[in-house]
Amino acid sequence: MNPQNRIAVPPCAEAGAPSPVVATGRPLKWGVVATGGIAAKVTQDIALLEDAVLHAVSSRSADSAAEFAQRFGFATSYGNDGDVAGYQRLVDDPEVDVVYITTPHGQHHEVAKAALTSGKHVLCEKPFTINAAEAEELAAIAADRGLFLMEAVWTRFLPSINRAWDIVYSGELGDIRWVQGDLGFTAPDDPTSRLWDPKAGGGALMDLTVYPLTWALGSLGFPDSVSAVGTLNSDGVDLQNAVTLSYASGAYAQLSSSFVASCPGQATVCGSNGWMKTGGGPLHNPRELTIKTGQDDARVEQFEQVGGGYTYELREVTRCIREGLTESPTMPVGDTVRTMRLLDGVRAQIGLRYTNDA
């Protein structure tokens, strides 16, 4: 395996590393934009960090922001005020050090640009933006201002995932020839849901594919060519898709995501000497790895995690900001931009377009 493909191990996932919640320096004050389900999950883990301060939360609705603030213990909250959006009021707060963005995908670029322009460090949910052009603009702003910027692909920071990369790059499986990853569920038949909203960046590709893709990138790196098929609904949002990544070595990765089928959510990495598959949870947060090599019996390695698993990502953000880094070696901005270009190519093949593309 080409060592250049190896995703860098974050200090928080190294063997013997202390719990990611243990304080390592001065506290950082967090601002959270939006109050949906993922905001609640990650905020619970932010609260676990001994050196994190829940300072501000924003929503379009002042009542929603206030309720969320009271629920989790934020110092203040912001809703829309006349023509000024709640998120703008939050990024204008001089007390906020770092902004975590959890809005629907279609708003990521707008909110992240406002945060960076206001001098805030940014952690933005996946997918980072709708297209590569938006991602490139944000990367340029962050670089120009010397600010930290990262896509919240929390899977890259988990101890179980980094152990998987150890196994891949140890050569235990031999040369990696084939990677498979799937993720899907039957989404509610609700036309008002962001999952089906073209303006929000709805569809299985943008919402789910980053996780199977992480297994391909971690095992094989970025591909030499991509082919894809997908099924769109009457609003032009993809119901499901299948993506094949091809490599000059002859290796392949086959990735699928769906909003109309319940899938096992498993990743399998196959090499010339054996295979590895995920278990004990979905492929983006596995608690088990099963490894089978040569004539040996399969073995199972099990993992525990702190909090909901987001604590490792949050510790890395904290470390990078404190050390003056503008990106994480584990989730560099360049990987995010290349991923958005890859997704742009997939969308072109399956005919998936969004308002932001105009």
Side-chain angles (χ1 to χ4, degrees):
M1 280 69 68
N2 185 344
Q4 293 181 339
N5 294 339
R6 172 68 197 252
I7 293 176
V9 181
C12 59
E14 292 177 346
S19 168
V21 305
V22 174
T24 57
R26 70 174 180 85
L28 291 182
K29 294 185 177 181
W30 288 77
V32 175
V33 177
T35 56
I38 186 61
K41 289 180 180 179
V42 177
T43 295
Q44 290 180 59
D45 274 14
I46 297 175
L48 293 177
L49 269 65
E50 296 172 351
D51 48 4
V53 176
L54 295 176
H55 178 72
V57 61
S58 72
S59 174
R60 288 174 296 181
S61 163
D63 289 343
S64 177
E67 186 279 330
F68 195 92
Q70 183 176 25
R71 177 181 170 192
F72 291 103
F74 283 86
T76 191
S77 64
Y78 298 102
N80 289 3
D81 184 8
D83 293 334
V84 182
Y87 73 77
Q88 186 64 57
R89 298 177 66 202
L90 182 146
V91 301
D92 287 342
D93 185 333
E95 293 294 311
V96 172
D97 294 312
V98 54
V99 176
Y100 170 52
I101 299 169
T102 77
T103 63
H105 320 326
Q107 299 169 22
H108 285 179
H109 172 261
E110 174 187 340
V111 179
K113 184 175 181 179
L116 292 169
T117 302
S118 295
K120 308 303 184 186
H121 304 292
V122 170
L123 173 66
C124 183
E125 264 306 324
K126 54 80 192 167
F128 188 63
T129 52
I130 290 295
N131 54 47
E134 291 183 339
E136 290 164 356
E137 182 182 13
L138 294 180
I141 295 172
D144 181 65
R145 293 173 177 264
L147 294 168
F148 178 82
L149 178 64
M150 192 180 88
E151 182 180 15
V153 185
W154 61 294
T155 297
R156 288 197 180 205
F157 301 90
L158 294 172
S160 59
I161 297 296
N162 283 277
R163 173 57 182 153
W165 305 153
D166 285 342
I167 293 168
V168 166
Y169 282 88
S170 72
E172 183 178 0
L173 304 180
D175 293 330
I176 304 303
R177 305 295 191 192
W178 179 72
V179 176
Q180 181 274 335
D182 68 83
L183 191 60
F185 60 92
T186 303
D189 186 14
D190 178 5
T192 66
S193 168
R194 68 162 185 86
L195 299 178
W196 301 115
D197 184 358
K199 293 182 180 179
L205 179 74
M206 301 301 279
D207 210 68
L208 301 178
T209 302
V210 66
Y211 293 127
L213 179 62
T214 295
W215 279 92
L217 299 183
S219 301
L220 292 166
F222 280 91
D224 295 292
S225 63
V226 180
S227 60
V229 293
T231 303
L232 309 185
N233 67 10
S234 58
D235 291 325
V237 171
D238 71 300
L239 304 171
Q240 61 183 5
N241 59 80
V243 180
T244 299
L245 311 183
S246 301
Y247 296 81
S249 66
Y252 293 92
Q254 295 175 307
L255 318 175
S256 58
S257 58
S258 178
F259 277 166
V260 292
S262 181
C263 302
Q266 189 173 70
T268 306
V269 180
C270 300
S272 56
N273 191 49
W275 52 264
M276 171 174 59
K277 66 179 180 179
T278 62
L283 80 169
H284 54 280
N285 188 20
R287 304 298 182 91
E288 296 179 354
L289 295 173
T290 300
I291 304 98
K292 175 71 170 68
T293 58
Q295 300 303 313
D296 297 336
D297 292 337
R299 73 177 190 274
V300 177
E301 298 188 11
Q302 297 181 319
F303 304 87
E304 296 182 355
Q305 68 181 26
V306 177
Y310 305 102
T311 51
Y312 303 93
E313 167 188 74
L314 298 168
R315 173 53 56 202
E316 175 69 355
V317 171
T318 302
R319 180 187 76 86
C320 290
I321 291 173
R322 287 217 189 97
E323 294 182 6
L325 301 179
T326 57
E327 59 184 338
S328 165
T330 302
M331 188 65 240
V333 175
D335 276 16
T336 290
V337 172
R338 291 183 72 181
T339 295
M340 295 313 305
R341 290 173 182 161
L342 188 155
L343 292 175
D344 281 358
V346 170
R347 291 200 295 118
Q349 291 186 48
I350 69 176
L352 178 59
R353 289 188 56 80
Y354 293 111
T355 304
N356 295 40
D357 295 325

